[in-house]
Amino acid sequence: GLRYNHEECVRQAKSCGVTYKDLGAGITKEAASLLAQGNIIGWFQDAFEIGPRALGNRSILADPRKAEMKDIINEKVKHREWFRPFAPAILEEFSAEYFTGCSKSPFMLLVAEVEKLKRDNVPAITHVDNTARVQTVNKTQNPRFYDLLTEFNKITGVPVILNTSFNDKGEPIVCQPQDAIKCFLKTQMDYLVIGTLLISK
């Protein structure tokens, strides 16, 4: 899909009147730290994805270790029914440790059982029947998202991030930077990352 370079992302951020910091290569480490502190982050990267799932280019991300995170996102960000589950994005090399019989699922289309010994580690992405719709991530597939997961794993010891599509109820997934900013400002997300830009309220 459509791709927006750094200059265009900066231009649209300025046109929306938001304040931002350009963290360069440090963006993944900072975002991982913010996630680990319980913040909800809009994550806008690279080209627009086309398909049934958001896979780390137009995503809303959160810490899967907090059981209450599912309810917080449903109520304050996505504005949808309380029972709607959220999916895990996981470093591909750890997928078999967390999900039964799941080694690769790059397009978030496969449902797997969450390993019994790991359920307490990732309650926000474990559905009531102890399953999850898994997205595995490797460095070739999505380098920046892989780096984010790696940094989060370094901080928390958990190689999983809650990943849901970047949109509000009844709206399409955001396409361009200004769409992401508008969605961010009208929901209760804590931070927005566009490329290497970090935007807060």
Side-chain angles (χ1 to χ4, degrees), residues 70-175:
K70 179 174 75 74
D71 294 332
I72 292 171
I73 297 176
N74 273 329
E75 179 184 350
K76 297 183 177 181
V77 179
K78 301 284 279 189
H79 303 114
R80 63 184 198 175
E81 300 85 355
W82 64 269
F83 57 82
R84 299 278 293 273
F86 292 105
I90 184 169
L91 293 170
E92 185 177 277
E93 57 267 34
F94 291 95
S95 58
E97 289 183 28
Y98 277 77
F99 304 103
T100 304
C102 181
S103 58
K104 289 186 180 181
S105 177
F107 304 113
M108 202 191 283
L109 296 176
L110 303 179
V111 174
E113 185 173 354
V114 182
E115 288 285 350
K116 191 172 183 179
L117 295 177
K118 298 295 186 181
R119 290 172 194 168
D120 289 342
N121 293 0
V122 288
I125 57 84
T126 303
H127 196 34
V128 292
D129 62 357
N130 295 318
T131 64
R133 182 181 283 113
V134 184
Q135 177 197 1
T136 57
V137 182
N138 62 47
K139 197 167 184 68
T140 301
Q141 168 194 346
N142 193 327
R144 183 165 285 166
F145 198 36
Y146 180 88
D147 289 346
L148 177 65
L149 281 156
T150 300
E151 293 294 342
F152 187 78
N153 186 36
K154 288 178 184 176
I155 296 168
T156 66
V158 174
V160 181
I161 290 175
L162 183 156
N163 176 16
T164 188
S165 58
F166 198 154
N167 64 305
D168 198 356
K169 182 180 180 181
E171 295 185 351
I173 297 176
V174 300
C175 176

Side-chain angles (χ1 to χ4, degrees), residues 3 30 41 45 51 83 85 139 153 186 201:
R3 188 185 307 269
E30 179 65 16
I41 295 180
Q45 301 292 333
F83 57 82
K139 197 167 184 68
N153 186 36
K186 77 172 190 174
K201 293 177 180 172

Side-chain angles (χ1 to χ4, degrees), residues 42-57:
W43 183 255
F44 182 104
Q45 301 292 333
D46 204 40
F48 181 77
E49 296 161 326
I50 298 173
R53 307 290 168 209
L55 302 174
N57 283 2

